């Protein structure tokens, strides 16, 4: 919804000190991985996230999904996930938007390292859900470490 006075767009309407209406504008969002999660040989939802409200105020995580704060036509979604493993089998991460895969990162074949995935030029609506899935190519021990990040910019 757009509100204007002549040709000047109005972004907020207040009654005294009380905000009555505010235009929905895009704000960057982020979440940080807590705890560790074992890797499996099939795609699995990466769980254990907290909103990174220190760097990205207003960020919200619901059911392990980072929610978009506003609409944007050319957003970038990035995931960076440290891992440890006993073997150098391929580990891969992918990004889902509202349950649909929109990007799969290059596999990483080292014992320890960082999986990444990036989706560019993404069209977002306010409240869209961004989730991450991970897997390892062959049965082996390995886990995603705490401290991984997902951002919407």
């Amino acid at each position: 919804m757009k509100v204007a006075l002549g040709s000047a767009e109005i972004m907020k309407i207040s009654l005294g000190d009380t905000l009555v209406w505010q235009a929905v504008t895009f704000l960057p969002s982020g979440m940080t991985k807590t705890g560790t999660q074992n890797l499996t040989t099939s795609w699995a939802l990466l769980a254990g996230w907290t909103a990174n409200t220190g760097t990205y105020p207003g960020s919200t995580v619901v059911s392990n999904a980072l929610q978009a704060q506003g609409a944007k036509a050319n957003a970038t979604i990035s995931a960076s996930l440290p891992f440890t493993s006993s073997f150098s089998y391929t580990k891969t991460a992918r990004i889902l938007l509202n349950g649909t895969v929109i990007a799969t990162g290059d596999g990483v074949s080292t014992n320890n390292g960082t999986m990444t995935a990036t989706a560019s030029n993404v069209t977002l609506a306010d409240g869209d859900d961004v989730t991450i899935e991970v897997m390892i190519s062959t049965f082996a021990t390995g886990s995603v470490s705490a401290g991984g990040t997902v951002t919407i910019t």
Side-chain angles (χ1 to χ4, degrees), residues 1-150:
M1 177 172 152
K2 182 178 179 180
V3 176
L5 181 60
S7 62
E9 187 173 353
I10 296 172
M11 301 305 290
K12 293 181 181 181
I13 298 174
S14 298
L15 185 57
D17 291 336
T18 305
L19 179 65
V20 176
W21 176 85
Q22 182 173 345
V24 176
T25 57
F26 176 80
L27 294 172
S29 299
M31 64 181 180
T32 304
K33 175 80 175 85
T34 60
T36 60
Q37 181 173 323
N38 290 337
L39 293 163
T40 61
T41 57
S42 58
W43 290 110
L45 176 69
L46 191 57
W49 295 96
T50 57
N52 182 351
T53 56
T55 305
Y56 302 100
S59 294
T60 305
V61 175
V62 176
S63 299
N64 297 302
L66 179 61
Q67 295 189 317
Q69 296 186 83
K72 187 173 182 179
N74 60 344
T76 299
I77 303 170
S78 299
S80 178
L81 309 167
F83 66 86
T84 59
S85 178
S86 300
F87 300 95
S88 58
Y89 297 117
T90 304
K91 296 100 181 150
T92 310
R94 67 184 184 182
I95 300 169
L96 293 82
L97 179 63
N98 299 322
T100 301
V101 176
I102 59 169
T104 301
D106 293 333
V108 182
S109 297
T110 59
N111 287 24
N112 303 305
T114 303
M115 291 178 280
T116 60
T118 302
S120 301
N121 298 315
V122 178
T123 300
L124 291 175
D126 185 42
D128 277 353
D129 289 332
V130 174
T131 53
I132 305 297
E133 292 182 338
V134 293
M135 70 175 289
I136 189 169
S137 63
T138 304
F139 180 76
T141 56
S143 62
V144 178
S145 307
T149 61
V150 175

